[in-house]
Amino acid sequence: MTPTPTATLVARDWAEIQERMLVPLYEAVYDRLEVGPGDRLLGLDCGAGLALLLAAGRGAVATGVEADPARRALARERLLEVLAEPPAPPRPYDTLLAFSPAPQALAAALPAVRRGGTVVLADWGPAERCTAPSVLGGGPAPRDLDALVERAGLRPDGSGRVFCPFGYADVDNAVRGLLSTGLYDGTTDPVLAGKELAEALHPFERSDGAVWLPNIFRYVIARVG
């Protein structure tokens, strides 16, 4: 499937503006797991692949799964191995990274993780500590990561919280970045959605025009088998 021009533009906004906002989360997880040479990682819904690049920079072998063809194409431009769907066994990975995972997608990816391997789930933290969802009209409710671990038959093995501020040069930059998250997908009038989002961002503008949205993300570590 060839991405549409609009899909490609949105994917580039994700890669060039929004994706870097989650670097503190990726780095905290990799520090916690001591990711390094010889580790094999599988990134579920990996977007344009920044999390994979950071893992590769530590010496790990990182593969991604991304359903969106525009984002997958950008990840491949970064010379990453990115698949349209989870690889079939036997391709034993040591770690599965599943940020904001859908239960069905998680279940489909788990067979690719070795017994005793690690699964990392992450999502928004407490609502009172997250600014971005309120700007996005409330956004989706954070998933109950502990319940997701239990339903998937995984063994809990720790958790943590990470400060991930979303900082933008100006309101236009912020609108483009936030729209690229997909939280406004399905809106009947994208132009109106952008205008509403710009209005909602004004209280978070600084004197120099920059926009600052503090957020906390929570991650959970679990083991397979």
Side-chain angles (χ1 to χ4, degrees), residues 24-25 28-29 32 99 120-126 145-146 157-164 216-222:
L25 174 61
V29 168
R32 178 81 173 258
F99 301 115
V120 182
L121 311 178
D123 211 325
W124 299 102
L145 299 177
D146 301 297
D157 193 26
S159 64
R161 292 183 177 183
V162 183
F163 180 54
C164 289
I216 295 288
F217 280 75
R218 180 174 184 255
Y219 68 86
V220 170
I221 298 172

Side-chain angles (χ1 to χ4, degrees), residues 8 10-13 15 47-49 69-80:
T8 299
V10 171
R12 287 202 177 277
D13 282 344
R71 296 191 186 198
R72 191 166 64 244
L74 290 177
R76 289 174 176 171
E77 285 181 11
R78 291 169 164 174
L79 304 182
L80 296 166

Side-chain angles (χ1 to χ4, degrees), residues 19 34 38 65-66 73 85 105 108 110 135 141 153 155 157-158 173 175 193 202 212:
E19 194 174 25
E34 299 182 342
V65 178
E66 176 54 57
E85 56 188 30
L110 282 177
V135 170
R155 292 185 289 108
D157 193 26
N173 194 262
V175 169
H202 285 311
W212 185 254

